[in-house]
Each structure stands twice: as C-alpha cells, then as structure tokens.
Amino acid sequence: MRQLAEDGRIAVRNVRRDVMHHLKELVDKGEVGSDEEHRAEERVQKLTDEHTHTIDELLKKKEAEILEV
C-alpha cells in the first residue's frame, strides 16, 4: 500500500512539473504575463498539496483497515 501511495504522489508531482514547464513556455512565447504565471503556479501547488494530502489520508485509512483484519 505504501508503494502505491508513493506512486500516486510521484504521479501528482510529475503532473505539477509538466504544468510548470508548460507555463514557462507560455511566458516565453508572450502568451501569458508573469503575474498570471505566478498565480497559476500558486494554484497548481495548492492543488498538488491537496491531492498529496488526500493520498496520505487514504493510505492511513487503508493501513488501519488492513490492521483490523
């Protein structure tokens, strides 16, 4: 279970990395301003933290469930 949770956290971080890279490309092309980039980066980080927290909570519940049986 811990490995599955870690794989999930890695997948979430990989998505964050890809989005950040795409944002940088948009800024370099002039399609997005630096203020918009900063707001988007903050939002992406917040979503990443929320999903990572959800994975951690699900892991705790599953570990407790396994230990009960």
Side-chain angles (χ1 to χ4, degrees), residues 6-60:
E6 183 60 24
D7 291 346
R9 287 189 290 268
I10 289 170
V12 169
R13 289 191 301 264
N14 286 340
V15 169
R16 177 189 61 195
R17 183 195 65 224
D18 293 344
V19 169
M20 296 294 199
H21 178 73
H22 184 65
L23 282 170
K24 296 247 185 268
E25 287 178 346
L26 291 174
V27 169
D28 291 343
K29 291 179 183 178
E31 296 179 22
V32 175
S34 62
D35 289 342
E36 292 170 325
E37 176 194 21
H38 184 67
R39 280 191 297 271
E41 286 177 350
E42 287 178 349
R43 180 69 178 139
V44 168
Q45 184 59 51
K46 182 179 177 184
L47 287 170
T48 300
D49 293 342
E50 289 173 6
H51 288 289
T52 301
H53 179 71
T54 300
I55 290 170
D56 291 340
E57 290 299 314
L58 290 171
L59 175 63
K60 285 180 189 176

